[in-house]
Amino acid sequence: MASAAPGPVRFSTAGLPDGQRIAKWEEHNADALIGLRCSSLDERTLEATEINLQLPNVQLARVMAPSHMVERNASIIRRVPSDAIACYFMLVGDSFFYHDDGVRTLGPGQMVICDADRPFVRGFSHGLDELVLKVPRAYFSAAAGVDSLAEPRTLDFARGDVRAPALARLVG
């Protein structure tokens, strides 16, 4: 895992030339969080911002973006493996999470936990504001007592499962 940065790093596509926004967003995510392919119906509208914080054992991010889709397919996983578990906490917006076991829809106050090295597609029809926690697989395995996450899990951090709100507060 990379060494911890001295503080948060902010990246935004605002002000970039229209034709470079998606490529720069993908490049930033591959370097700072998780490699993804991004698409938008109108790449000029991808005015997205991400704030990243690298801690010694985990990575945190806050992502704010308009309507778009991201994909992490087998080719991207081979090129940019993460060896991590990703937790996506929806604060604002609605999303879908497509995985080989089906589709899940999420709204504000919900999260999805997934193996970042298994293919998935996520879509945000009205944009999003979310928190992301990326945990190295070894740390997740030690904390959760499992070697892998065979299928994604969804939790409600606004109410319900008591672990999810505590984790959401810590990530926030």
Side-chain angles (χ1 to χ4, degrees), residues 68-82:
H68 71 289
M69 286 183 24
V70 295
E71 176 183 11
R72 185 153 170 81
N73 62 29
S75 173
I76 294 168
I77 292 166
R78 280 191 301 275
R79 194 173 63 249
V80 189
S82 71

Side-chain angles (χ1 to χ4, degrees), residues 48-100:
T49 300
E50 187 170 284
I51 302 166
N52 301 90
L53 180 61
Q54 173 68 56
L55 297 176
N57 298 321
V58 299
Q59 290 173 270
L60 306 172
R62 175 118 189 225
V63 182
M64 296 149 284
S67 174
H68 71 289
M69 286 183 24
V70 295
E71 176 183 11
R72 185 153 170 81
N73 62 29
S75 173
I76 294 168
I77 292 166
R78 280 191 301 275
R79 194 173 63 249
V80 189
S82 71
D83 196 28
I85 303 299
C87 305
Y88 297 100
F89 300 80
M90 290 296 301
L91 302 175
V92 175
D94 295 307
S95 70
F96 72 82
F97 182 91
Y98 175 77
H99 192 266
D100 64 2

Side-chain angles (χ1 to χ4, degrees), residues 34-156:
I34 295 173
L36 302 165
R37 180 175 23 194
C38 180
S39 61
S40 175
L41 295 178
D42 181 359
E43 64 185 31
R44 290 176 294 139
T45 64
L46 189 68
E47 194 165 300
T49 300
E50 187 170 284
I51 302 166
N52 301 90
L53 180 61
Q54 173 68 56
L55 297 176
N57 298 321
V58 299
Q59 290 173 270
L60 306 172
R62 175 118 189 225
V63 182
M64 296 149 284
S67 174
H68 71 289
M69 286 183 24
V70 295
E71 176 183 11
R72 185 153 170 81
N73 62 29
S75 173
I76 294 168
I77 292 166
R78 280 191 301 275
R79 194 173 63 249
V80 189
S82 71
D83 196 28
I85 303 299
C87 305
Y88 297 100
F89 300 80
M90 290 296 301
L91 302 175
V92 175
D94 295 307
S95 70
F96 72 82
F97 182 91
Y98 175 77
H99 192 266
D100 64 2
D101 72 328
V103 177
R104 291 163 171 80
T105 57
L106 293 98
Q110 295 181 304
M111 66 182 282
V112 63
I113 304 170
C114 67
D115 183 331
D117 285 338
R118 294 194 55 178
F120 64 83
V121 176
R122 298 182 70 213
F124 315 96
S125 60
H126 301 291
L128 78 142
D129 185 349
E130 75 177 359
L131 300 173
V132 181
L133 170 64
K134 179 182 167 188
V135 181
R137 187 178 318 282
Y139 289 100
F140 179 83
S141 294
V146 295
D147 290 335
S148 66
L149 194 59
E151 63 182 47
R153 297 183 184 161
T154 55
L155 297 171
D156 191 326

